Amino acid sequence: MAFIIDKLYENGYEAFAVGGCVRDAVMGRIPHDWDITTNALPKQVKSIFNKTIDTGIKHGTVTVMLNRVGYEVTTYRIDGEYTDGRHPKEVVFTPNLTEDLRRRDFTINAMAYNDKTGIIDEFDGIEDIQNKVIRCVGVPEDRFNEDALRMLRAIRFSAQLDFSIDNDTYNAIGKLYKNLSLISKERIQTELTKIITSESPGRIKDICRLGLDRYVFGDNSVLSGVDISVYEKVSYIMEKLPDNSYLRYAGLLTYETDIENVLRGLKLDNKTINIVARLVYNKNKELSTNKADIRRAVVAIGEDIFSEYYLEYMKALIKVKHEGITLSLEDIDTISFRYQEIIADNECLKLNDMAVHGKDLKALGLPDGKLIGDILKILFDRVLENPQLNNKEILIEMAKKLI
Ligand code: ATP
Ligand code: MG
């Protein structure tokens, strides 16, 4: 990063690390990427470095590749007029760093740094970091009118950093929450996912308090138009879960009746929708420490999620004393241990892993079709009950008796 900045200076330009990486460095956190801002124009940046990618050339962003790591280098810019509540009509380059910092969303994100100049903090971001406050740069209402996504970003940063939201900033969201309808569901989902997978997922409650709920979850969700108590309950569940997105979405949607609809509305991928739905819809599934019950539950819930996600979800529900759950944490440990044994013993958990197949039943003279399927299911049930039965001769004998 310092190499890129030095190189830009050698060529007569200025350059600074800017935004999230400066905030993280000030807070003693390790930045996950480094954004650089410069008065050099994109084509000038491209002429200085060997390997560059035109990431967002229209917006002034060029990615400089160094040792296989990409660094986004963006020309100082002013956002033109915002006419639609989400995008500037045009971006205008500026030779002035302060102008670039002024267009950024929050004071903590509007600092710049390089080794020559030290830190540039014209909007008191350091003070807000010390006071643990999210505050808009400039007049909050203006800033949210320009880009309504910033309202959710305020909650997102408050969740990730465990900061509170400054009063004026908070109240402006309370006034302008309806503008979130202008923002695409994809962008909303990105922020929501970051909120719930953060260290303080309970900050989700601000979505409810500020009236953003129906714009995030849609009109038909049980999280829309409800009082805060539902949010308190799901926050409590999420706080007991690891910060994995499947698990946190399951926690969030524990009371949801149409999970597919809510998650599809948020443009989540099919894998997430499928896993979260299976977790939540099976939360009251009969399960005990009995191995046959464990095998049946694994088949119903899915081997792919049973131990990694389902048992984790159950543990959280047990910790919050969720209604209808009779298992204890010790039971979950026992189930987990016995599940590992089932796997180690290679016990049959799939129709396909049975010692008989359709063709074996056909050889007994059964016609193709539903009957074969039905008999296989009955045999599978017995095998789940007692894995010793998964033997070709035994199963054929059993099948004969069923015919
Ligand atoms: P993260 O650690 O999640 O990447 P970040 O602060 O880098 O956090 P980004 O969304 O990557 O957040 O944005 C980079 C920087 O660009 C921000 O720090 C902020 O200065 C600016 N920025 C991003 N989105 C907006 C926005 N909608 N309005 C104003 N400024 C923004
Ligand atoms: Mg970033």
Side-chain angles (χ1 to χ4, degrees):
M1 201 258 314
F3 172 84
I4 296 176
I5 292 177
D6 289 346
K7 195 100 178 165
L8 283 158
Y9 273 91
E10 277 167 30
N11 284 273
Y13 302 105
E14 317 174 341
F16 295 84
V18 71
C21 58
V22 180
R23 174 199 70 221
D24 289 344
V26 168
M27 293 182 68
R29 297 180 165 218
I30 296 166
H32 59 82
D33 51 20
W34 293 89
D35 294 328
I36 294 163
T37 187
T38 178
N39 61 350
L41 293 169
K43 65 171 189 294
Q44 295 167 329
V45 174
K46 285 172 66 167
S47 72
I48 294 171
F49 298 97
N50 292 335
K51 248 190 128 179
T52 63
I53 303 166
D54 291 359
T55 321
I57 205 95
K58 270 200 311 219
H59 302 106
T61 303
V62 171
T63 299
V64 174
M65 296 304 296
L66 260 190
N67 304 322
R68 291 165 183 267
V69 179
Y71 299 83
E72 289 198 349
V73 179
T74 305
T75 306
Y76 297 165
R77 52 176 240 216
I78 314 170
D79 293 336
E81 206 187 330
Y82 282 79
T83 46
D84 60 358
R86 56 192 158 175
H87 298 301
K89 215 157 70 183
E90 52 183 356
V91 304
V92 182
F93 298 135
T94 164
N96 183 330
L97 173 64
T98 304
E99 303 257 39
D100 179 273
L101 297 176
R102 195 190 304 283
R103 68 155 174 104
R104 293 175 182 270
D105 47 8
F106 306 111
T107 59
I108 60 169
N109 288 344
M111 295 182 284
Y113 174 88
N114 70 26
D115 289 337
K116 291 185 198 4
T117 320
I119 197 145
I120 297 185
D121 178 23
E122 299 191 37
F123 304 100
D124 297 328
I126 293 180
E127 192 183 324
D128 284 340
I129 285 176
Q130 281 161 353
N131 294 329
K132 296 178 150 245
V133 177
I134 308 295
R135 182 199 314 275
C136 284
V137 174
V139 180
E141 286 179 41
D142 295 348
R143 307 316 310 282
F144 294 138
N145 270 322
E146 288 167 357
D147 178 0
L149 185 72
R150 291 173 186 156
M151 300 190 286
L152 263 193
R153 286 174 60 88
I155 299 173
R156 187 256 278 197
F157 287 113
S158 92
Q160 287 182 325
L161 307 173
D162 200 17
F163 281 20
S164 58
I165 300 175
D166 164 71
N167 271 337
D168 290 343
T169 297
Y170 188 90
N171 293 335
I173 303 176
K175 274 189 206 154
L176 297 171
Y177 64 96
K178 286 187 181 152
N179 289 0
L180 197 62
S181 65
L182 301 168
I183 301 298
S184 75
K185 289 290 191 177
E186 287 84 352
R187 295 176 78 204
I188 289 177
Q189 182 248 296
T190 306
E191 298 300 327
L192 175 66
T193 302
K194 287 182 179 176
I195 293 170
I196 66 170
T197 55
S198 73
E199 278 177 35
S200 305
R203 297 272 178 184
I204 192 84
K205 293 194 280 279
D206 279 343
I207 286 189
C208 174
R209 290 192 192 107
L210 288 162
L212 295 162
D213 45 7
R214 31 184 300 239
Y215 305 99
V216 175
F217 299 113
D219 286 332
N220 298 321
S221 169
V222 301
L223 293 172
S224 295
V226 287
D227 79 66
I228 195 86
S229 67
V230 180
Y231 280 77
E232 281 165 353
K233 287 199 222 172
V234 299
S235 295
Y236 193 31
I237 299 170
M238 286 193 287
E239 283 158 5
K240 304 279 184 231
L241 286 165
D243 61 8
N244 167 274
S245 65
Y246 303 133
L247 285 170
R248 290 283 176 89
Y249 268 110
L252 176 69
L253 300 179
T254 294
Y255 296 93
E256 192 61 64
T257 47
D258 192 349
I259 288 170
E260 290 88 343
N261 185 44
V262 173
L263 294 182
R264 230 182 281 122
L266 283 162
K267 309 287 178 200
L268 272 148
D269 58 288
N270 288 334
K271 184 176 178 194
T272 301
I273 297 174
N274 172 284
I275 290 180
V276 174
R278 274 191 284 150
L279 289 171
V280 178
Y281 293 154
N282 284 302
K283 67 180 177 178
N284 289 317
K285 177 136 203 86
E286 247 179 79
L287 178 60
S288 76
T289 55
N290 172 298
K291 270 198 176 177
D293 274 353
I294 298 172
R295 284 187 291 265
R296 275 191 286 262
V298 171
V299 171
I301 295 159
E303 208 177 323
D304 57 333
I305 61 170
F306 184 76
S307 96
E308 196 177 357
Y309 302 126
Y310 182 75
L311 293 182
E312 287 297 324
Y313 182 48
M314 292 309 289
K315 275 200 242 174
L317 293 180
I318 291 165
K319 287 181 192 159
V320 306
K321 303 189 167 50
H322 187 71
E323 49 265 40
I325 290 173
T326 49
L327 292 167
S328 67
L329 289 175
E330 297 75 59
D331 291 337
I332 299 292
D333 284 343
T334 308
I335 291 168
S336 178
F337 182 79
R338 293 193 175 154
Y339 172 72
Q340 299 309 331
E341 286 182 339
I342 290 168
I343 296 299
D345 293 342
N346 226 335
E347 289 178 5
C348 173
L349 293 168
K350 291 191 207 80
L351 262 177
N352 273 343
D353 292 345
M354 286 218 296
V356 294
H357 300 278
K359 63 175 176 7
D360 304 311
L361 299 185
K362 235 169 96 177
L364 293 179
L366 286 180
D368 267 330
K370 187 167 177 301
L371 184 61
I372 289 191
D374 288 346
I375 293 180
L376 280 175
K377 273 205 204 96
I378 294 172
L379 297 179
F380 183 49
D381 257 5
R382 302 268 175 87
V383 168
L384 288 179
E385 182 72 38
N386 177 4
Q388 312 273 338
L389 300 179
N390 196 23
N391 165 294
K392 191 161 178 179
E393 278 154 40
I394 298 177
L395 290 176
I396 294 279
E397 281 313 307
M398 288 168 63
K400 280 184 188 159
K401 282 185 202 146
L402 285 168
I403 298 169

